[in-house]
Amino acid sequence: AYLNAMQADFSYTIHSTHTTAEHERGGIVLLLHNKWLHKVVGKPTIDKNGRWINVDIRTPRGRTSLVAAYLPPSPQNSLPARQAWADLQEYIIKLHLKRNRTVYLFGDLNAARNDPLHRKNVGSEHTCQERLLGNLIEHGGLIDTFPSCNPGVQYRTWSNHNTWSSPDHILVSAHSRQHVTLKWLNKSMD
């Protein structure tokens, strides 16, 4: 009831899902401005475990897939987390096999590059995250927008009292890299 009342005064359509996996939590909300509703193609696609949601829209550049994701933390220590990565990568590859498709993948992927620009503590315990993220980018045909627009710039999207990293990403189809720009960067985590 609350969500329906809020949506009546809200200029966005809310698409959401949550994980159904045992002993896990997490959910995704994708807000799509109502001005795009007439461009939506079909119904949203939701991962069988509620880890991601995809909405397809028609744009002047062709079909665009908006994929919002929340992947399990610590994939280096969890077989279900690595399987969630494999499922997402397979789905992204399938989207790119469709003609004239641009894919935006955004959300909390719970993985950061094993690089001092992307995490405070680099080391061998983070090579699994590096490999998973690298494979998704390479085999999924994506680029990570922040480092692409800001080469050599350190950034983070998560921190606590003794460490920080950048597990949140906005990835886009590599063939659309010329359309990617960074408009604003919040430095409130400094």
Side-chain angles (χ1 to χ4, degrees), residues 39-179:
K39 301 282 190 178
V40 171
V41 179
K43 293 183 178 183
T45 303
I46 298 174
D47 168 52
K48 66 183 183 264
N49 292 315
R51 289 285 175 198
W52 49 261
I53 186 168
N54 175 45
V55 174
D56 283 347
I57 59 174
R58 283 184 224 85
T59 70
R61 293 188 183 111
R63 180 81 68 89
T64 299
S65 294
L66 305 172
V67 183
Y70 171 77
L71 294 180
S74 303
Q76 66 274 16
N77 301 322
S78 167
L79 181 58
R82 288 191 300 278
Q83 185 59 53
W85 272 88
D87 293 346
L88 179 60
Q89 181 173 315
E90 180 181 336
Y91 184 73
I92 296 298
I93 290 170
K94 284 181 183 176
L95 288 176
H96 269 127
L97 291 176
K98 298 175 181 178
R99 228 175 109 190
N100 297 327
R101 180 74 58 126
T102 299
V103 176
Y104 288 85
L105 169 60
F106 45 89
D108 184 353
L109 303 184
N110 270 311
R113 293 285 195 175
N114 193 25
D115 176 301
L117 294 175
H118 301 262
R119 68 169 58 247
K120 180 178 181 182
N121 302 318
V122 297
S124 60
E125 68 273 14
H126 302 299
T127 57
C128 177
Q129 290 185 22
E130 169 80 24
R131 187 175 59 257
L132 289 170
L133 189 56
N135 284 342
L136 178 63
I137 288 170
E138 180 182 346
H139 300 299
L142 303 169
I143 60 162
D144 197 338
T145 58
F146 187 88
S148 294
C149 293
N150 303 279
V153 174
Q154 185 182 75
Y155 76 106
R156 61 180 170 260
T157 60
W158 176 87
S159 67
N160 68 16
H161 64 282
N162 65 352
T163 190
W164 59 266
S165 69
S166 53
D168 305 301
H169 300 274
I170 300 172
L171 309 175
V172 65
S173 297
H175 64 80
S176 295
R177 76 177 61 230
Q178 70 275 15
H179 304 295

Side-chain angles (χ1 to χ4, degrees), residues 2-15 29-35 37:
Y2 170 76
L3 196 55
N4 288 336
M6 182 184 84
Q7 198 161 2
D9 296 326
F10 197 51
S11 57
Y12 291 85
T13 297
I14 301 169
H15 300 280
V29 174
L30 189 152
L31 302 175
L32 184 66
H33 197 281
N34 290 337
K35 73 178 181 182
L37 283 182

